[in-house]
Amino acid sequence: MSKKTQKKNTKGFWPFIKWFWILFASGILAVVLIFLLASWGAFGEMPTFERLENPQTNLATEIISSDGKTLGKYYLDDNRTPIAYKDLPENLVNALVATEDARFYEHSGIDARGFLRALFFLGTRGGASTISQQLARQLFVGVRSRNVFEAVTQKIKEWVIATRLERNYTKEEIISMYLNIYDFGNNADGIRSAARIYFGKEPPELKTEESAMLVGMLKNSSLFNPLRREEMTRDRRNTVLAQMAKYDYITEDVRDSLIASKMDINYNPESHSQGPAAYFRMYLQRWLKEWIAENPKPALKGERDTWNIYLDGLKVYTTIDSRMQANAEAAVQAHMNKLQKEFFVQNTRQRNPTTPFLDLNSEEIRGIMERAMKNSARWRGMKDAGKSEKEIRESFNVPTEMTVFDWNAPTKEKDTVLTPLDSIRYYKTFLRAAMMSMEPQTGHVKAWVGGLNYRHFQYDNVIQGARQAGSTFKPFVYAAAIDQLRRSPCDTLPDTQYCIEAGKHGNPEPWCPKNSDGKYSGRTYTLKDALANSVNTVTAQLIDEVGPRPVVSIVKSLGLTRDIPEVPSIALGTPDFNVYEMVGAYGAFANQGVYVKPVMVTRIEDKNGTVLYEYTPETKDVLSKEVAYAMIDLMKGVTEGGSGTRLRHSMNKDNGVYKEIMTGYPYQFTNPIAGKTGTTQNQSDGWFMGMVPNLVTGVWVGGEDRATHFKSILYGQGASMALPIWALYMKENYANSDLNISKEDFVKPEEMSIRIDCDISEEEAEENKELEDDLDDLDF
């Protein structure tokens, strides 16, 4: 071809080349202009640099046990607790990248190849959204609009924000932010909640197929919901596994094996009324609100000036041990189920026409029901809505569909139809329970069970309720006598009728207490035997000797701060206390006379790990070491030969109370245990306080109303109602050696001037003491 022809051809193509470069340059300029316009806010508000650096997401407050487990969370709509990239399992990250953004590590927020593919095939071969773009949408853009123009502008904003995110964060941070922000449904906000709710485990424990299921849900968690559409979700999981094999994250053999597997869903709903330590979490919620009121949040621009336990992602480190809490809840459930069955049987067998009440006439029962009706949520709600009293009362007699508590139902719930008034009486047939367990040396509360089921019984009997202490109050009388009068556990007093005349110790009338069986044996008891057998007449003589005032003084020093009348009758436990107070007070006996106020929270951190609160122990020296040890020795007698002896039995009883309600019997404890049972008038309240050197536990059982109780003391005493819960709990604690619950004896003071060995005479004890002193003086 001639040069002239070549020149002519070149000239002919020049317009096309020129227009190509013009269009290409225009396209580049248009893209740059669009990006600039988007960044300037032409398509809607864009996040500021500060918001990009600190994206505002609602974070749940996390409640953490002393052994590092999550007990629960406080949240409104978002049950989200973020975790770092290092805590994400490799299989989860691989599944995410393989499925959502195969070139994630190669691009800077926008995948050009993916965009061109989606544009050319109109999205039929996959979308073009990168992980960074999806994060931008979740954080700042929102749900895709159905309006075409708005959808395009949203996409442009995603591109701009995605590139900004890539500049501000590492690839690892973007992945963790994306997985932390996503809503997996069923209150599973973020990957940590999702792992816990769908599989009952923390993210690092997820298997490959479990990670694949969660990544599959990222496409649409409402559609791919394993609880509602298991097969569809399984198919989506298998698609993720195929993608992982395609990009060589797993082998084809592994893919085929996992695709054939079933989805092993272990659903663990996280709600405020369900899960471990529900009663404790509700108490802690009130405690935190009081703490927030006294501790303002450092003011930052655009943020709230007060902490919010539902939004700010606080971490609350508690003293509760998740393993001991589980043991406590299991013990309460096991015993109360069995105890309730016997209570129902006895009311049926005795054809009690006033079930569940005893010894009340119809007028008294109407009074109880009237008070319960007016205190109900239904009454308050209708009154607030402006309903008349007549309308409210009529509503209580209208049959209504409802879900009620039922021990025999698999889920402990059943659907039924009752009038609201009948439902009130139905719930009053259930005996209630409470227990708290504390380490006496530190005051750390290790377990807290306020009732049977928080969803149906929301009254927390650990700290909200207060009931008569019964014989569990007697050790305070004995402690005052030993401390003030130098009495010894080996001193003796007769079991005869004893009266304190009117006018003495502020007594308005003569006080002549009887023993629980109404009899007087006439025998002489040591103080140790008298406490072990709860001999009322001996306790009456002691409070007459020491006076009520020193007893009240000691009691108040032990954290029992309620008003206590300074009269002799308090010796038999007429004052009301709750389990929280009683456990704290008994802790001083096990802690060599030092009272340590129970503590539940050790530390609070904000979402960045900044410490906002650390507790300071509150202690008080109340009793000397030897008085405290003398009391421990006295209460060891309760479990060695008194009302708590059934803890030691090795033989199994086949009839009577043992077969019917002594859950878990025989217990066969052989280690030193100090304790005290308590039973109030008419068996309305049953108590057991049990101690080993490093754990003090209190248990209370009774009806909501004092008129709800067993007819006989055989079933209604603390040793039958409350002691089995302690025994079941401690057996499980001892079964776990990691808990380090002591089986050793209590520490005896080096100097002990109070005689506690009652098998030898006082003269022999004095001679032995002198001999020990002489030996100590010798220099070998």
Side-chain angles (χ1 to χ4, degrees):
M1 181 182 295
S2 67
K3 289 182 180 181
K4 187 176 181 180
T5 305
Q6 286 180 348
K7 189 173 182 180
K8 184 178 180 181
N9 289 341
T10 303
K11 186 176 180 180
F13 279 111
W14 172 244
F16 296 102
I17 296 172
K18 181 175 68 171
W19 280 109
F20 170 81
W21 285 109
I22 289 173
L23 290 173
F24 180 79
S26 299
I28 296 295
L29 289 172
V31 169
V32 171
L33 181 60
I34 288 172
F35 268 71
L36 285 172
L37 289 171
S39 64
W40 293 336
F43 303 132
E45 184 183 1
M46 295 290 285
T48 62
F49 176 79
E50 289 76 15
R51 283 192 67 199
L52 282 172
E53 285 291 312
N54 297 284
Q56 293 299 308
T57 56
N58 295 335
L59 303 179
T61 287
E62 185 178 9
I63 308 158
I64 303 169
S65 70
S66 61
D67 56 319
K69 303 296 183 181
T70 298
L71 294 173
K73 301 175 187 177
Y74 300 126
Y75 61 91
L76 293 177
D77 299 316
D78 298 329
N79 176 23
R80 180 177 292 105
T81 304
I83 60 173
Y85 179 84
K86 63 182 178 61
D87 295 319
L88 297 174
E90 185 179 12
N91 58 48
L92 178 69
V93 175
N94 292 342
L96 174 64
V97 172
T99 308
E100 297 295 328
D101 192 352
R103 285 176 292 280
F104 174 69
Y105 296 105
E106 301 169 12
H107 62 67
S108 298
I110 300 173
D111 181 5
R113 287 172 56 187
F115 172 71
L116 292 175
R117 182 197 64 220
L119 190 64
F120 187 78
F121 293 102
L122 300 177
T124 58
R125 296 191 181 182
S129 288
T130 64
I131 293 174
S132 304
Q133 287 175 242
Q134 293 180 49
L135 175 59
R137 185 190 311 152
Q138 291 281 333
L139 285 175
F140 304 111
V141 179
V143 179
R144 179 77 71 240
S145 174
R146 293 185 179 182
N147 180 284
V148 176
F149 176 75
E150 290 180 356
V152 171
T153 57
Q154 283 180 324
K155 193 68 178 179
I156 294 170
K157 288 173 67 175
E158 282 177 23
W159 289 341
V160 175
I161 297 171
T163 57
R164 287 184 175 183
L165 288 172
E166 291 273 352
R167 288 200 302 268
N168 288 345
Y169 297 99
T170 65
K171 292 287 188 180
E172 290 76 14
E173 288 172 330
I174 288 172
I175 284 178
S176 63
M177 288 173 68
Y178 178 52
L179 291 173
N180 281 324
I181 197 69
Y182 192 79
D183 180 0
F184 289 86
N186 298 301
N187 286 332
D189 297 294
I191 191 62
R192 183 155 184 246
S193 293
R196 288 170 54 83
I197 288 174
Y198 291 119
F199 298 109
K201 56 180 65 174
E202 295 294 334
E205 302 168 323
L206 289 171
K207 299 177 183 177
T208 299
E209 62 272 28
E210 294 167 342
S211 292
M213 189 205 85
L214 295 176
V215 167
M217 293 177 70
L218 294 172
K219 186 173 184 179
N220 186 331
S221 60
S222 296
L223 183 64
F224 300 106
N225 184 332
L227 304 182
R228 297 173 58 193
R229 301 181 183 89
E230 184 174 348
E231 282 304 312
M232 184 181 292
T233 307
R234 184 170 177 265
D235 290 342
R236 177 62 185 164
R237 178 204 68 174
N238 293 345
T239 298
V240 175
L241 291 170
Q243 286 294 106
M244 294 180 74
K246 176 181 177 180
Y247 292 103
D248 296 326
Y249 289 116
I250 58 175
T251 65
E252 292 186 358
D253 289 341
V254 170
R255 176 202 62 193
D256 295 340
S257 173
L258 295 180
I259 284 177
S261 66
K262 294 182 178 180
M263 290 202 305
D264 189 16
I265 301 298
N266 178 19
Y267 184 54
N268 292 273
E270 290 187 349
S271 70
H272 301 303
S273 62
Q274 295 174 293
Y279 288 93
F280 171 75
R281 287 187 278 119
M282 291 304 105
Y283 160 78
L284 183 60
Q285 187 178 52
R286 296 191 298 272
W287 185 93
L288 282 170
K289 287 180 178 178
E290 292 177 5
W291 176 82
I292 285 171
E294 299 171 359
N295 294 269
K297 182 180 182 181
L300 295 174
K301 185 177 180 180
E303 291 192 4
R304 296 177 298 271
D305 59 359
T306 58
W307 295 106
N308 189 308
I309 64 173
Y310 307 108
L311 305 175
D312 285 339
L314 302 177
K315 290 187 181 295
V316 183
Y317 293 87
T318 73
T319 61
I320 297 293
D321 186 293
S322 68
R323 300 158 297 182
M324 295 171 73
Q325 179 69 29
N327 292 343
E329 291 178 0
V332 169
Q333 291 286 306
H335 180 60
M336 293 307 296
N337 189 353
K338 190 172 183 181
L339 186 71
Q340 189 67 49
K341 288 177 181 177
E342 180 60 24
F343 185 71
F344 283 148
V345 166
Q346 291 194 16
N347 272 277
T348 303
R349 186 192 306 144
Q350 294 163 4
R351 294 186 175 87
N352 177 15
T354 60
T355 299
F357 311 111
L358 280 174
D359 308 320
L360 294 184
N361 58 42
S362 58
E363 188 62 30
E364 290 170 325
I365 293 173
R366 274 196 297 272
I368 289 176
M369 298 300 292
E370 178 77 7
R371 287 191 296 273
M373 186 167 58
K374 289 185 174 180
N375 288 331
S376 68
R378 171 182 284 270
W379 185 286
R380 292 193 302 271
M382 293 185 72
K383 188 175 181 179
D384 291 343
K387 301 294 183 181
S388 68
E389 182 170 325
K390 181 182 178 182
E391 290 176 299
I392 297 173
R393 287 185 179 278
E394 287 175 349
S395 77
F396 276 86
N397 292 298
V398 177
T400 306
E401 292 183 358
M402 60 182 71
T403 301
V404 298
F405 181 78
D406 183 5
W407 278 116
N408 297 319
T411 61
K412 300 295 188 294
E413 291 182 334
K414 70 176 181 182
D415 295 327
T416 188
V417 176
L418 290 172
T419 68
L421 193 61
D422 285 340
S423 74
I424 290 175
R425 189 152 185 162
Y426 172 79
Y427 277 108
K428 285 184 178 293
T429 64
F430 288 92
L431 296 173
R432 315 299 171 89
M435 74 173 292
M436 190 180 102
S437 197
M438 183 189 80
E439 189 177 73
Q441 291 77 23
T442 61
H444 288 190
V445 175
K446 294 298 180 181
W448 176 305
V449 184
L452 310 179
N453 180 295
Y454 183 78
R455 182 175 177 184
H456 294 279
F457 304 91
Q458 296 190 358
Y459 193 80
D460 187 347
N461 291 286
V462 167
I463 199 164
Q464 286 182 302
R467 299 294 287 259
Q468 284 189 344
S471 294
T472 56
F473 189 88
K474 290 177 180 177
F476 306 131
V477 179
Y478 281 70
I482 293 173
D483 183 54
Q484 300 289 316
L485 307 177
R486 308 307 293 173
R487 279 286 198 174
S488 159
C490 302
D491 289 350
T492 58
L493 288 171
D495 174 22
T496 57
Q497 186 175 19
Y498 190 86
C499 290
I500 299 176
E501 63 269 23
K504 188 176 184 182
H505 303 310
N507 220 27
E509 297 177 359
W511 184 58
C512 306
K514 297 179 180 180
N515 291 321
S516 59
D517 59 3
K519 301 176 182 178
Y520 310 98
S521 67
R523 60 171 283 196
T524 299
Y525 281 93
T526 64
L527 297 191
K528 187 171 185 176
D529 287 341
L531 184 65
N533 293 282
S534 270
V535 182
N536 291 343
T537 57
V538 171
T539 309
Q541 293 172 67
L542 287 177
I543 200 166
D544 189 19
E545 289 181 7
V546 72
R549 180 166 296 177
V551 176
V552 172
S553 177
I554 283 179
V555 165
K556 288 189 176 293
S557 295
L558 292 173
L560 303 171
T561 57
R562 298 172 188 271
D563 289 335
I564 306 172
E566 294 180 0
V567 294
S569 61
I570 64 173
L572 304 187
T574 54
D576 290 355
F577 302 111
N578 59 38
V579 174
Y580 170 87
E581 295 168 318
M582 292 294 285
V583 171
Y586 268 69
F589 295 133
N591 193 33
Q592 299 184 314
V594 179
Y595 169 76
V596 182
K597 185 178 180 180
V599 60
M600 284 70 72
V601 177
T602 56
R603 189 171 80 256
I604 300 174
E605 295 178 357
D606 68 10
K607 65 181 180 181
N608 298 315
T610 302
V611 176
L612 306 176
Y613 165 86
E614 282 189 293
Y615 90 106
T616 302
E618 296 182 40
T619 65
K620 182 188 295 184
D621 291 336
V622 180
L623 302 169
S624 68
K625 289 183 179 181
E626 59 175 345
V627 171
Y629 186 79
M631 288 306 304
I632 288 292
D633 186 72
L634 276 168
M635 286 186 279
K636 283 166 68 176
V638 172
T639 68
E640 292 167 354
S643 56
T645 310
R646 57 188 69 185
L647 290 172
R648 308 290 188 185
H649 286 171
S650 59
M651 66 282 196
N652 195 355
K653 304 266 185 174
D654 292 326
N655 49 47
V657 67
Y658 293 92
K659 179 180 179 181
E660 290 161 355
I661 64 171
M662 292 302 291
T663 320
Y665 189 84
Y667 308 120
Q668 300 178 325
F669 290 102
T670 58
N671 55 293
I673 300 170
K676 187 70 189 80
T677 58
T679 309
T680 61
Q681 190 177 20
N682 295 332
Q683 301 79 241
S684 295
D685 306 275
W687 291 80
F688 183 71
M689 306 296 300
M691 296 180 283
V692 296
N694 64 348
L695 196 66
V696 177
T697 304
V699 182
W700 168 86
V701 174
E704 181 182 25
D705 303 282
R706 285 190 164 94
T708 302
H709 57 81
F710 281 101
K711 191 170 186 178
S712 73
I713 196 169
L714 177 65
Y715 292 92
Q717 63 180 296
S720 298
M721 290 209 295
L723 178 145
I725 292 175
W726 187 92
L728 292 172
Y729 169 64
M730 291 301 291
K731 284 179 77 172
E732 290 303 311
N733 285 346
Y734 282 132
N736 186 346
S737 59
D738 292 339
L739 296 177
N740 296 315
I741 307 301
S742 174
K743 287 189 175 182
E744 305 302 316
D745 204 347
F746 294 84
V747 177
K748 183 178 179 181
E750 294 181 2
E751 294 293 326
M752 194 73 193
S753 62
I754 301 171
R755 183 162 71 98
I756 59 174
D757 188 351
C758 303
D759 293 331
I760 62 174
S761 66
E762 191 169 351
E763 292 76 14
E764 289 176 308
E766 186 62 33
E767 290 175 3
N768 290 342
K769 179 69 168 59
E770 291 177 0
L771 179 59
E772 290 175 3
D773 291 342
D774 291 340
L775 290 173
D776 289 339
D777 292 338
L778 293 176
D779 185 3
F780 293 101

